[in-house]
Amino acid sequence: MEEIIVPGQQVSKLWDFYEELNEIVYVADPDSHELVYMNRRAREIYGIKNQEDLKGRKCYELLSGSSAPCAVCNCDKMRPGFFLEEVRYDPVIKKKLALKDTLIEEGGRRYRFELAVDLGAWEQQNIGYEANEVMVNEALRLSLAAHTPDQSIAVLLEYLGQALTSERFYIFEETDRNTFDNTYEWCASGVVPQKENLQNVPFEVVSLWYREFARGENVIIKDLEQVKDVDRVVYDCLKPQNIQSLVVSPLVSEGKIIGFYGVDNPPRRFLAHITTMLQILGHFIVALLHRRNHVRRLEELCFLDQLTGIGNRHAVHDYVNRIKPEESIGIVYCDVMGLKKENDTEGHLAGDKLLLRASECLRKIFEGYALFRVGGDEFLAVCTGMAEEELSKRVEALKCRMREKNAPMAIGCVWRADAAESIDRLLTLADDRMYEDKRVLYATEFREMARD
């Protein structure tokens, strides 16, 4: 998007000014995504009778037909006094639009303002070969403009789901357990997401589909009731999801099927065109999945400690920068006791085993929270959204676990009701308390040795 500076303007009663414009204008809350205003032209296009009908409506539900915020949402890029400009084909209203977006501040509130000019030439009543090509090209353009492979895939599914006026667009990938995971999903507004329910799907569910895939064919179900007696396993899987029709296509990498992707409940007249489009896009999606895997591997190398598999020092900075100030935060700083002695007397392999035991203790007690190895013998647990009493219980449980696993550590702990205080200061405080605990432990050990 090109960023254009615009002169300052008075925003009081600004909505009234746009009421009779022929261009499409809408205003929304950039945080809640609730629509605040649509002008007459916008209301006509989207079937809204009056402003009262907008109350509680989300922009992504009404304007994009999505059940979640748009993958191409640019609210985070907007600033008051600047317009972001882009030309984009809108797959919902089937129009090519010139978009102008900005943030407006009024009465202590922020508003997302968008003005869309109908360029007219792309309006279509039915999807044919030419429109199919336009749709694919536009989907690829938007997808490639995304910053990460995951965002690219989300943008692609969202655009195609909207363009085909379908209910759901998704990707399933094979696992090493001979099952399938639904890894990506776009749902239309009002459609219940199924992704969480479709993990570890047995191969048997799609075994007949794989026979078609092996012949280079897509699977098309025009009416689910027609497969009730032919493929009861698939029927029993799809029926609870309210699927009446679908098209699925294989994802093939180096001659091997690695999964499939498809669309649920598209308009029947689009089925033939969808089949062609899925065959065209399959190679592109596989390339995105490979790129995602490559990026994840690089992230692992950059942000994971290679011995313990938990986050390293680089990962700490990335994580703390994403902590919300209003969240409670607990920090547990640990130092493995006796690592140097273990390395010197038993060898570095024994020292590594001690570090692994220590990290296992932290994994067990603080499962689901952020764990890091921040030095040769130092570990860190960062717990957001945890009550102080719960943090204390877990620290005591960690001490018990350490004794069971022979992984002694000094511990320093800090808790705050919110994360408004400097994270660096909290880490320093936890570190200081850890060193105090370490001093006490060494003093106790020295006294016991003296008695012996």
Side-chain angles (χ1 to χ4, degrees), residues 407-440:
M409 289 188 284
I411 300 174
C413 184
V414 173
W415 183 88
R416 294 289 186 270
D418 59 53
E421 190 174 346
S422 166
I423 299 296
D424 287 339
R425 185 177 183 281
L426 295 178
L427 290 171
T428 299
L429 181 57
D431 189 32
D432 290 343
R433 291 179 178 178
M434 179 269 291
Y435 273 105
E436 176 60 24
D437 186 49
K438 188 174 184 178
R439 185 190 65 78
V440 172

Side-chain angles (χ1 to χ4, degrees), residues 84-235:
L84 297 176
E85 292 191 344
E86 183 180 16
V87 173
R88 182 190 302 170
Y89 177 71
D90 189 315
V92 176
I93 61 176
K94 306 295 188 292
K95 294 178 183 293
K96 186 179 181 183
L97 303 175
L99 305 176
K100 296 178 180 290
D101 299 319
T102 191
L103 278 182
I104 292 177
E105 295 179 341
E106 181 180 29
R109 289 189 61 184
R110 300 187 313 147
Y111 299 94
R112 173 200 176 107
F113 173 90
E114 179 168 284
L115 183 146
V117 179
D118 180 6
L119 299 182
W122 284 22
E123 187 164 0
Q124 59 183 43
Q125 300 302 321
N126 297 291
I127 292 183
Y129 175 80
E130 296 81 3
N132 210 1
E133 184 178 9
V134 167
M135 187 189 307
V136 170
N137 288 339
E138 183 69 0
L140 295 181
R141 183 186 71 81
L142 291 172
S143 179
L144 289 171
H147 295 298
T148 69
D150 282 328
Q151 290 175 347
S152 290
I153 294 171
V155 168
L156 184 69
L157 298 191
E158 176 182 90
Y159 184 88
L160 294 176
Q162 293 170 349
L164 297 170
T165 59
S166 59
E167 292 189 359
R168 189 166 170 266
F169 219 107
Y170 46 83
I171 293 175
F172 280 77
E173 295 180 66
E174 286 190 16
T175 72
D176 55 9
R177 303 178 301 277
N178 201 31
T179 61
F180 296 87
D181 287 344
N182 184 181
T183 50
Y184 298 91
E185 171 189 63
W186 171 86
C187 292
S189 177
V191 175
V192 178
Q194 298 293 330
K195 180 180 172 182
E196 297 302 319
N197 303 324
L198 295 173
Q199 304 298 306
N200 295 314
V201 178
F203 177 79
E204 291 73 19
V205 173
V206 294
S207 59
L208 293 183
W209 289 5
Y210 261 57
R211 295 182 188 178
E212 298 297 315
F213 294 162
R215 292 195 289 265
E217 300 291 338
N218 290 349
V219 171
I220 302 175
I221 297 179
K222 297 180 179 180
D223 182 354
L224 183 62
E225 296 303 320
Q226 293 179 357
V227 305
K228 185 175 183 179
D229 298 325
V230 178
D231 194 346
R232 187 70 191 205
V233 177
V234 163
Y235 179 86

Side-chain angles (χ1 to χ4, degrees), residues 312-349:
N312 59 20
R313 185 180 294 273
H314 299 296
V316 175
H317 298 293
D318 181 69
Y319 180 80
V320 298
N321 287 334
R322 292 185 280 111
I323 294 176
K324 298 177 181 178
E326 65 273 15
E327 291 183 301
S328 66
I329 182 170
I331 294 175
V332 181
Y333 216 119
C334 302
D335 184 288
V336 179
M337 304 283 286
L339 178 62
K340 184 178 186 305
K341 180 180 179 182
E342 192 80 3
N343 284 332
D344 291 344
T345 59
E346 302 295 331
H348 286 280
L349 181 59

Side-chain angles (χ1 to χ4, degrees), residues 147-150 291-306 310-312 314-315 318:
H147 295 298
T148 69
D150 282 328
R291 180 178 165 223
R292 176 207 62 188
N293 293 341
H294 181 64
V295 170
R296 286 180 179 176
R297 179 56 181 158
L298 290 176
E299 288 176 345
E300 288 178 1
L301 293 173
C302 292
F303 293 103
L304 289 185
D305 176 60
Q306 297 304 297
I310 63 177
N312 59 20
H314 299 296
D318 181 69

Side-chain angles (χ1 to χ4, degrees), residues 263-388:
V263 56
D264 290 342
N265 299 334
R268 184 166 295 187
R269 68 183 186 277
F270 292 170
L271 289 177
H273 299 296
I274 291 172
T275 302
T276 301
M277 186 168 52
L278 293 188
Q279 290 173 335
I280 294 171
L281 288 170
H283 297 295
F284 179 72
I285 291 178
V286 169
L288 285 177
L289 294 175
H290 284 317
R291 180 178 165 223
R292 176 207 62 188
N293 293 341
H294 181 64
V295 170
R296 286 180 179 176
R297 179 56 181 158
L298 290 176
E299 288 176 345
E300 288 178 1
L301 293 173
C302 292
F303 293 103
L304 289 185
D305 176 60
Q306 297 304 297
L307 175 64
T308 63
I310 63 177
N312 59 20
R313 185 180 294 273
H314 299 296
V316 175
H317 298 293
D318 181 69
Y319 180 80
V320 298
N321 287 334
R322 292 185 280 111
I323 294 176
K324 298 177 181 178
E326 65 273 15
E327 291 183 301
S328 66
I329 182 170
I331 294 175
V332 181
Y333 216 119
C334 302
D335 184 288
V336 179
M337 304 283 286
L339 178 62
K340 184 178 186 305
K341 180 180 179 182
E342 192 80 3
N343 284 332
D344 291 344
T345 59
E346 302 295 331
H348 286 280
L349 181 59
D352 286 349
K353 289 181 178 180
L354 174 57
L355 290 170
L356 287 169
R357 292 198 302 274
S359 65
E360 187 276 332
C361 291
L362 285 162
R363 285 181 190 272
K364 181 69 176 181
I365 303 304
F366 292 98
E367 183 179 3
Y369 293 93
L371 300 176
F372 309 95
R373 183 184 176 195
V374 293
D377 54 3
E378 294 179 342
F379 290 91
L380 177 69
V382 181
C383 308
T384 56
M386 182 183 288
E388 184 175 16

